[in-house]
Amino acid sequence: MAEKAQVSVRTVSNVVAGYTHVSERTRQRVQAAIEELDYRPNPVARTLRTGRTGVLALVVPEIDVPYFAELAREVIDAAAELGYRVMVDQTGHDHERERRLLTGADRTMLFDGVLFTPLVTQGELAEMEPSRSMPLVLLGEHDFDGRYDHVAIDNVRAAHDATAHLIATGRTRIAAIGVQPDEDYTTPRQRTLGYERALAEAGLTPERELLRPAAHYSRADGYDAATALLALPEPPDAIFCYSDLLAMGAMRAVFDAGRIVPDDVAVIGVDDIEEGKYTHPSLSTVSLDTPFIARQAVGRIAERIDDPDTPAVEVTAPHTLVVRESTAVPAGG
């Protein structure tokens, strides 16, 4: 191959790996030789030679949750641009499995780095020691402690923006679904803080009965929590849900209670999953820049693979308030 293209073996390897520091003229010559000789790289030989597989792992709690499915698609696309393939795995909310994956006890040399969205509590995460043998980037809402690269949105601000939007539409009795008071999970803690800050800024006092837990951020949990809220002597006129799936369940509960979204109860979620555009009414939400998150995470893991000693950094992804039909101003409002 190298002889055919009149270049070094190293140059052929660089072209096959997709490295960008090869001149375009040389790249075209190598590509022409590859096509003429019908060359196919041997991944086993490459792994033995370099110690790398060209594969990244993306680990999420549940692959059938729409947000994680969309994240997986974006990560796969971003990784392909850098010459990596992606293996996707799920933990199923199993804390012990997450611990083993994070500490390296459950890893093999099947991949070069891990992009991880764990649901372990902040306390559990603080007790874990990162494995230097496997580059790791954390995704999702965890307090940055300087040990792991971390890519996430500003959850407090996102929840604040969603709640402030409900207030701006004239709602005054605003509930929240997604708190988890018995667990030290960072995501619900940060979103509750943002919700309470927005209420305080508007002179509204958070009421305990309007804060509803959700074991999982699912449609069923959203439905159950909203049903309980609507049964209160003074039901809410708006609900901030900590995920779009919770919000979709909540909207169904409003419908089943004989009320109307948004006239009687406004509903807003977080994630901006594709499904929310096509619900009836369409769902207002906080949109997370998933392509940005994926590109930054893959870029960080690629850099860490090349230099394991590079300092860990935190990258904050942008978010956008997306206003749709589920939070329209009530008729006559």
Side-chain angles (χ1 to χ4, degrees):
M1 173 65 65
E3 182 178 354
K4 179 70 175 178
Q6 297 181 334
V7 297
S8 68
V9 173
R10 165 70 70 177
T11 298
V12 173
S13 297
N14 288 342
V15 171
V16 172
Y19 293 156
T20 58
H21 56 265
V22 179
S23 72
E24 184 59 30
R25 182 177 179 181
T26 299
R27 184 183 306 278
Q28 290 178 0
R29 192 161 67 246
V30 173
Q31 290 289 359
I34 288 174
E35 292 176 7
E36 182 177 344
L37 298 175
D38 194 26
Y39 170 74
R40 296 291 182 271
N42 186 328
V44 175
R46 181 181 64 180
T47 300
L48 292 174
R49 183 176 65 254
T50 67
R52 297 182 182 179
T53 65
V55 179
L56 304 177
L58 171 65
V59 183
V60 299
E62 297 172 301
I63 193 60
D64 57 345
V65 170
Y67 171 74
F68 292 127
E70 293 177 12
L71 175 65
R73 179 188 64 202
E74 296 293 346
V75 166
I76 290 169
D77 288 346
E81 293 179 3
L82 297 182
Y84 286 99
R85 293 170 295 155
V86 178
M87 180 187 74
V88 182
D89 197 1
Q90 64 177 1
T91 61
H93 298 269
D94 185 333
H95 282 217
E96 177 59 21
R97 176 160 170 71
E98 289 189 348
R99 185 193 67 78
R100 290 179 60 81
L101 283 164
L102 281 168
T103 58
D106 226 15
R107 299 178 191 159
T108 67
M109 292 307 295
L110 292 175
F111 35 82
D112 299 330
V114 183
L115 307 173
F116 206 115
T117 304
L119 290 181
V120 293
T121 67
Q122 193 62 30
E124 289 172 319
L125 188 60
E127 294 174 357
M128 298 175 185
E129 286 298 326
S131 171
R132 283 183 53 83
S133 65
M134 183 62 67
L136 173 68
V137 172
L138 287 182
L139 304 174
E141 293 66 46
H142 292 275
D143 294 331
F144 180 63
D145 64 7
R147 296 183 302 162
Y148 308 92
D149 289 300
H150 182 215
V151 182
I153 66 166
D154 182 342
N155 245 306
V156 176
R157 190 69 205 177
H160 171 280
D161 292 349
T163 307
H165 167 64
L166 295 173
I167 295 169
T169 66
R171 323 287 172 158
T172 58
R173 189 166 171 77
I174 301 171
I177 296 176
V179 299
Q180 295 182 341
D182 297 329
E183 298 280 3
D184 186 28
Y185 291 123
T186 307
T187 298
R189 178 161 50 82
Q190 291 178 343
R191 293 184 183 177
T192 300
L193 179 59
Y195 159 80
E196 291 177 339
R197 281 185 182 176
L199 292 181
E201 289 173 4
L204 301 173
T205 302
E207 298 183 33
R208 182 178 298 274
E209 66 179 2
L210 295 182
L211 287 167
R212 294 288 163 163
H216 301 291
Y217 285 3
S218 65
R219 299 173 185 85
D221 282 359
Y223 182 92
D224 291 343
T227 298
L229 286 167
L230 296 169
L232 292 172
E234 291 185 65
D237 58 7
I239 304 174
F240 165 49
C241 297
Y242 292 12
S243 79
D244 282 354
L245 292 185
L246 286 172
M248 291 172 189
M251 288 202 296
R252 180 68 199 194
V254 173
F255 176 82
D256 286 353
R259 302 177 191 181
I260 300 172
V261 176
D263 294 3
D264 300 316
V265 185
V267 178
I268 191 169
V270 178
D271 287 338
D272 193 23
I273 62 176
E274 186 76 10
E275 185 180 347
K277 299 176 183 179
Y278 302 102
T279 57
H280 181 68
S282 57
L283 178 63
S284 294
T285 187
V286 176
S287 179
L288 315 184
D289 193 337
T290 309
F292 176 91
I293 293 171
R295 289 194 303 271
Q296 289 294 319
V298 171
R300 287 305 305 163
I301 201 70
E303 184 174 345
R304 187 157 294 284
I305 290 168
D306 289 337
D307 181 9
D309 295 320
T310 186
V313 300
E314 181 172 41
V315 179
T316 301
H319 66 268
T320 306
L321 182 68
V322 178
V323 178
R324 299 193 181 108
E325 296 166 342
S326 68
T327 58
V329 176

